[in-house]
Amino acid sequence: MRGAGSKNSWALFLLILAGIVLGGFIGMLAQDTGALSWLNYGQTFGLDEPVVLDLGILVLTFGLSVRITIASIIGMVLAIIIYRFL
């Protein structure tokens, strides 16, 4: 039997993830707008080139890149605020 805490933590995780995605989308839309272009300011980190593991009959390619923008941070904060009021 699962407790109520695990359900709430999953809801928080999903809300934060949705806030980051929606914030990133809004940042991409605002990048060409003069007054709102600052929303797309951010930093990208991760692997520049994917790591390839060639095992002869199987080739595995691993890669990860994360871009954090002002809009995604605002979306994450709004998601936490919404979670606390629910």
Side-chain angles (χ1 to χ4, degrees):
M1 186 190 289
R2 292 185 177 153
S6 64
K7 189 175 192 180
N8 288 336
S9 61
W10 277 109
L12 176 61
F13 175 74
L14 291 175
L15 274 173
I16 289 175
L17 190 61
I20 291 171
V21 170
L22 287 174
F25 179 68
I26 291 170
M28 284 183 2
L29 289 177
Q31 72 183 356
D32 296 328
T33 308
L36 297 176
S37 62
W38 59 273
L39 287 172
N40 200 39
Y41 179 76
Q43 183 68 34
T44 302
F45 58 93
L47 298 172
D48 289 334
E49 295 182 18
V51 177
V52 178
L53 178 62
D54 188 357
L55 301 173
I57 59 169
L58 180 66
V59 178
L60 299 173
T61 304
F62 301 100
L64 177 68
S65 180
V66 177
R67 177 158 173 83
I68 302 294
T69 63
I70 299 293
S72 63
I73 292 171
I74 292 171
M76 182 175 58
V77 169
L78 287 174
I80 293 171
I81 290 171
I82 290 170
Y83 175 77
R84 294 189 51 93
F85 283 115
L86 291 179

